[in-house]
Amino acid sequence: MRYFIEFSYNGKKYFGYQIQPNAISVQEELEKALSTILREKIKTTGAGRTDTGVHAKKIFAHFDTEKTLDQDLTRKLNSFLPADISIKRIFQVRDDFHARFDATFRTYEYYISLEKNPFTEEAAWQHWRKPLDIDKMNEACKILFEYEDFTSFAKLHTDNKTNLCKIYKAEWEQNGSELKFTVSANRFLRNMVRAIVGTMVEVGAGRLKPEDMRKVIEDKHRNSAGTSAPAHGLYLVDVGYEFE
């Protein structure tokens, strides 16, 4: 039987979701707890591979087992897991349903603090030395909808078979001294959101014009885009499925 897990985590101390040699990952912690409780080797497949230091407010993974799960499994898992990983729910799905390949969209949020704030130092990019023009940044957002090839925002030397993505939503909002960027797409490339944010900040700071975003994208080269924004301001906030 196949089960889905909905969970969240603070990615500060993890080298992303996926298991890596000689590095602590969310997947490793999750599988260790599941295997201990179920007394069998459990392998999970996540909805995506978040980068080192990136957080997830809502993410899914699936695993298979022949055992009937205890209704108290969610509480037991939370007892085993460290404080920075939280299980929301566990539910059965059809046997061929896939946490990664059956996702219809993913949504990220990125947070920037426009003032020096010790309480968001580890949760948002502290960008208070130079003002940002949110209107120009939103002008640049509109250009993203004109394209599907985002090679310029992709991490170099990855195993991507394609750099094509369909962006459904991209916008900046300001709430007091905080900026929030929301972006939703059918899929994302590694480092894509942070590269987009870094380029948008170049626009907001006046180093690029909004229309320069077209040339950045059309160049299809990572060096044409801005420096990647810091990982700690990025959150995966939703993954969509058609569960029937």
Side-chain angles (χ1 to χ4, degrees), residues 125-139:
W125 183 4
Q126 305 290 301
H127 197 289
W128 47 269
R129 290 182 174 86
K130 187 173 181 63
L132 297 175
D133 189 327
I134 187 174
D135 292 331
K136 288 184 179 179
M137 292 161 76
N138 272 323
E139 283 182 49

PDB file of all heavy atoms in Angstrom, residues 125-139:
ATOM      1  N   TRP A 125      15.689  37.564   3.882  1.00  0.00           N
ATOM      2  CA  TRP A 125      16.870  38.260   3.394  1.00  0.00           C
ATOM      3  C   TRP A 125      16.842  39.687   3.937  1.00  0.00           C
ATOM      4  O   TRP A 125      15.904  40.433   3.679  1.00  0.00           O
ATOM      5  CB  TRP A 125      16.858  38.252   1.872  1.00  0.00           C
ATOM      6  CG  TRP A 125      18.057  38.881   1.210  1.00  0.00           C
ATOM      7  CD1 TRP A 125      19.175  39.383   1.799  1.00  0.00           C
ATOM      8  CD2 TRP A 125      18.247  39.067  -0.205  1.00  0.00           C
ATOM      9  NE1 TRP A 125      20.053  39.875   0.863  1.00  0.00           N
ATOM     10  CE2 TRP A 125      19.517  39.693  -0.384  1.00  0.00           C
ATOM     11  CE3 TRP A 125      17.485  38.770  -1.327  1.00  0.00           C
ATOM     12  CZ2 TRP A 125      20.001  40.021  -1.650  1.00  0.00           C
ATOM     13  CZ3 TRP A 125      17.978  39.095  -2.579  1.00  0.00           C
ATOM     14  CH2 TRP A 125      19.229  39.717  -2.728  1.00  0.00           C
ATOM     15  N   GLN A 126      17.852  40.073   4.696  1.00  0.00           N
ATOM     16  CA  GLN A 126      17.925  41.421   5.258  1.00  0.00           C
ATOM     17  C   GLN A 126      18.491  42.374   4.196  1.00  0.00           C
ATOM     18  O   GLN A 126      19.695  42.414   3.963  1.00  0.00           O
ATOM     19  CB  GLN A 126      18.814  41.425   6.496  1.00  0.00           C
ATOM     20  CG  GLN A 126      18.391  40.421   7.556  1.00  0.00           C
ATOM     21  CD  GLN A 126      17.102  40.801   8.245  1.00  0.00           C
ATOM     22  OE1 GLN A 126      16.980  41.858   8.855  1.00  0.00           O
ATOM     23  NE2 GLN A 126      16.108  39.928   8.150  1.00  0.00           N
ATOM     24  N   HIS A 127      17.599  43.098   3.534  1.00  0.00           N
ATOM     25  CA  HIS A 127      18.009  43.981   2.436  1.00  0.00           C
ATOM     26  C   HIS A 127      17.558  45.401   2.775  1.00  0.00           C
ATOM     27  O   HIS A 127      16.594  45.931   2.215  1.00  0.00           O
ATOM     28  CB  HIS A 127      17.391  43.511   1.113  1.00  0.00           C
ATOM     29  CG  HIS A 127      18.058  44.078  -0.105  1.00  0.00           C
ATOM     30  ND1 HIS A 127      17.938  45.393  -0.481  1.00  0.00           N
ATOM     31  CD2 HIS A 127      18.876  43.499  -1.022  1.00  0.00           C
ATOM     32  CE1 HIS A 127      18.628  45.592  -1.580  1.00  0.00           C
ATOM     33  NE2 HIS A 127      19.214  44.473  -1.930  1.00  0.00           N
ATOM     34  N   TRP A 128      18.255  46.042   3.713  1.00  0.00           N
ATOM     35  CA  TRP A 128      17.817  47.343   4.222  1.00  0.00           C
ATOM     36  C   TRP A 128      18.769  48.480   3.848  1.00  0.00           C
ATOM     37  O   TRP A 128      18.469  49.651   4.094  1.00  0.00           O
ATOM     38  CB  TRP A 128      17.671  47.290   5.748  1.00  0.00           C
ATOM     39  CG  TRP A 128      18.825  46.663   6.457  1.00  0.00           C
ATOM     40  CD1 TRP A 128      18.980  45.352   6.781  1.00  0.00           C
ATOM     41  CD2 TRP A 128      20.014  47.319   6.922  1.00  0.00           C
ATOM     42  NE1 TRP A 128      20.174  45.140   7.427  1.00  0.00           N
ATOM     43  CE2 TRP A 128      20.833  46.338   7.534  1.00  0.00           C
ATOM     44  CE3 TRP A 128      20.464  48.649   6.912  1.00  0.00           C
ATOM     45  CZ2 TRP A 128      22.071  46.626   8.104  1.00  0.00           C
ATOM     46  CZ3 TRP A 128      21.704  48.948   7.477  1.00  0.00           C
ATOM     47  CH2 TRP A 128      22.484  47.938   8.066  1.00  0.00           C
ATOM     48  N   ARG A 129      19.914  48.151   3.263  1.00  0.00           N
ATOM     49  CA  ARG A 129      20.885  49.210   2.949  1.00  0.00           C
ATOM     50  C   ARG A 129      20.487  50.028   1.717  1.00  0.00           C
ATOM     51  O   ARG A 129      20.899  51.170   1.580  1.00  0.00           O
ATOM     52  CB  ARG A 129      22.270  48.601   2.743  1.00  0.00           C
ATOM     53  CG  ARG A 129      22.900  48.074   4.027  1.00  0.00           C
ATOM     54  CD  ARG A 129      24.305  47.533   3.777  1.00  0.00           C
ATOM     55  NE  ARG A 129      24.959  47.153   5.025  1.00  0.00           N
ATOM     56  CZ  ARG A 129      24.821  45.973   5.608  1.00  0.00           C
ATOM     57  NH1 ARG A 129      24.045  45.060   5.054  1.00  0.00           N
ATOM     58  NH2 ARG A 129      25.448  45.694   6.745  1.00  0.00           N
ATOM     59  N   LYS A 130      19.703  49.457   0.829  1.00  0.00           N
ATOM     60  CA  LYS A 130      19.294  50.151  -0.385  1.00  0.00           C
ATOM     61  C   LYS A 130      17.811  49.889  -0.621  1.00  0.00           C
ATOM     62  O   LYS A 130      17.368  48.739  -0.557  1.00  0.00           O
ATOM     63  CB  LYS A 130      20.111  49.658  -1.584  1.00  0.00           C
ATOM     64  CG  LYS A 130      19.864  50.450  -2.866  1.00  0.00           C
ATOM     65  CD  LYS A 130      20.832  50.024  -3.958  1.00  0.00           C
ATOM     66  CE  LYS A 130      20.618  50.815  -5.255  1.00  0.00           C
ATOM     67  NZ  LYS A 130      20.882  52.251  -5.103  1.00  0.00           N
ATOM     68  N   PRO A 131      16.999  50.943  -0.877  1.00  0.00           N
ATOM     69  CA  PRO A 131      15.563  50.743  -1.097  1.00  0.00           C
ATOM     70  C   PRO A 131      15.291  49.958  -2.376  1.00  0.00           C
ATOM     71  O   PRO A 131      16.102  49.979  -3.315  1.00  0.00           O
ATOM     72  CB  PRO A 131      15.025  52.173  -1.198  1.00  0.00           C
ATOM     73  CG  PRO A 131      16.198  53.007  -1.598  1.00  0.00           C
ATOM     74  CD  PRO A 131      17.389  52.368  -0.961  1.00  0.00           C
ATOM     75  N   LEU A 132      14.155  49.281  -2.408  1.00  0.00           N
ATOM     76  CA  LEU A 132      13.751  48.506  -3.571  1.00  0.00           C
ATOM     77  C   LEU A 132      12.424  49.048  -4.102  1.00  0.00           C
ATOM     78  O   LEU A 132      11.519  49.349  -3.326  1.00  0.00           O
ATOM     79  CB  LEU A 132      13.596  47.025  -3.208  1.00  0.00           C
ATOM     80  CG  LEU A 132      14.855  46.302  -2.732  1.00  0.00           C
ATOM     81  CD1 LEU A 132      14.518  44.885  -2.306  1.00  0.00           C
ATOM     82  CD2 LEU A 132      15.926  46.288  -3.825  1.00  0.00           C
ATOM     83  N   ASP A 133      12.313  49.143  -5.417  1.00  0.00           N
ATOM     84  CA  ASP A 133      11.090  49.630  -6.068  1.00  0.00           C
ATOM     85  C   ASP A 133      10.218  48.432  -6.415  1.00  0.00           C
ATOM     86  O   ASP A 133      10.461  47.734  -7.405  1.00  0.00           O
ATOM     87  CB  ASP A 133      11.458  50.421  -7.325  1.00  0.00           C
ATOM     88  CG  ASP A 133      10.268  51.137  -7.942  1.00  0.00           C
ATOM     89  OD1 ASP A 133       9.143  50.598  -7.864  1.00  0.00           O
ATOM     90  OD2 ASP A 133      10.454  52.236  -8.508  1.00  0.00           O
ATOM     91  N   ILE A 134       9.193  48.189  -5.600  1.00  0.00           N
ATOM     92  CA  ILE A 134       8.351  47.005  -5.784  1.00  0.00           C
ATOM     93  C   ILE A 134       7.543  47.081  -7.078  1.00  0.00           C
ATOM     94  O   ILE A 134       7.255  46.064  -7.715  1.00  0.00           O
ATOM     95  CB  ILE A 134       7.429  46.786  -4.562  1.00  0.00           C
ATOM     96  CG1 ILE A 134       6.690  45.453  -4.681  1.00  0.00           C
ATOM     97  CG2 ILE A 134       6.459  47.928  -4.401  1.00  0.00           C
ATOM     98  CD1 ILE A 134       5.876  45.093  -3.460  1.00  0.00           C
ATOM     99  N   ASP A 135       7.181  48.291  -7.507  1.00  0.00           N
ATOM    100  CA  ASP A 135       6.422  48.432  -8.757  1.00  0.00           C
ATOM    101  C   ASP A 135       7.245  47.947  -9.954  1.00  0.00           C
ATOM    102  O   ASP A 135       6.731  47.254 -10.838  1.00  0.00           O
ATOM    103  CB  ASP A 135       5.989  49.885  -8.960  1.00  0.00           C
ATOM    104  CG  ASP A 135       4.944  50.336  -7.947  1.00  0.00           C
ATOM    105  OD1 ASP A 135       4.174  49.464  -7.479  1.00  0.00           O
ATOM    106  OD2 ASP A 135       4.904  51.531  -7.612  1.00  0.00           O
ATOM    107  N   LYS A 136       8.507  48.317  -9.981  1.00  0.00           N
ATOM    108  CA  LYS A 136       9.374  47.863 -11.074  1.00  0.00           C
ATOM    109  C   LYS A 136       9.599  46.348 -11.000  1.00  0.00           C
ATOM    110  O   LYS A 136       9.690  45.671 -12.022  1.00  0.00           O
ATOM    111  CB  LYS A 136      10.699  48.607 -11.028  1.00  0.00           C
ATOM    112  CG  LYS A 136      10.584  50.075 -11.453  1.00  0.00           C
ATOM    113  CD  LYS A 136      11.942  50.755 -11.481  1.00  0.00           C
ATOM    114  CE  LYS A 136      11.792  52.210 -11.944  1.00  0.00           C
ATOM    115  NZ  LYS A 136      13.100  52.920 -11.962  1.00  0.00           N
ATOM    116  N   MET A 137       9.697  45.834  -9.787  1.00  0.00           N
ATOM    117  CA  MET A 137       9.864  44.390  -9.629  1.00  0.00           C
ATOM    118  C   MET A 137       8.641  43.638 -10.140  1.00  0.00           C
ATOM    119  O   MET A 137       8.757  42.572 -10.755  1.00  0.00           O
ATOM    120  CB  MET A 137      10.159  44.059  -8.162  1.00  0.00           C
ATOM    121  CG  MET A 137      11.522  44.580  -7.708  1.00  0.00           C
ATOM    122  SD  MET A 137      11.718  44.701  -5.909  1.00  0.00           S
ATOM    123  CE  MET A 137      11.949  42.990  -5.463  1.00  0.00           C
ATOM    124  N   ASN A 138       7.457  44.191  -9.929  1.00  0.00           N
ATOM    125  CA  ASN A 138       6.242  43.565 -10.440  1.00  0.00           C
ATOM    126  C   ASN A 138       6.115  43.706 -11.954  1.00  0.00           C
ATOM    127  O   ASN A 138       5.525  42.850 -12.617  1.00  0.00           O
ATOM    128  CB  ASN A 138       5.004  44.136  -9.735  1.00  0.00           C
ATOM    129  CG  ASN A 138       4.682  43.375  -8.455  1.00  0.00           C
ATOM    130  OD1 ASN A 138       4.841  42.158  -8.390  1.00  0.00           O
ATOM    131  ND2 ASN A 138       4.230  44.082  -7.440  1.00  0.00           N
ATOM    132  N   GLU A 139       6.676  44.781 -12.507  1.00  0.00           N
ATOM    133  CA  GLU A 139       6.739  44.891 -13.970  1.00  0.00           C
ATOM    134  C   GLU A 139       7.584  43.757 -14.546  1.00  0.00           C
ATOM    135  O   GLU A 139       7.235  43.142 -15.556  1.00  0.00           O
ATOM    136  CB  GLU A 139       7.338  46.241 -14.378  1.00  0.00           C
ATOM    137  CG  GLU A 139       6.411  47.431 -14.259  1.00  0.00           C
ATOM    138  CD  GLU A 139       7.088  48.705 -14.744  1.00  0.00           C
ATOM    139  OE1 GLU A 139       7.668  48.681 -15.854  1.00  0.00           O
ATOM    140  OE2 GLU A 139       7.055  49.710 -14.006  1.00  0.00           O
TER     141      GLU A 139
END
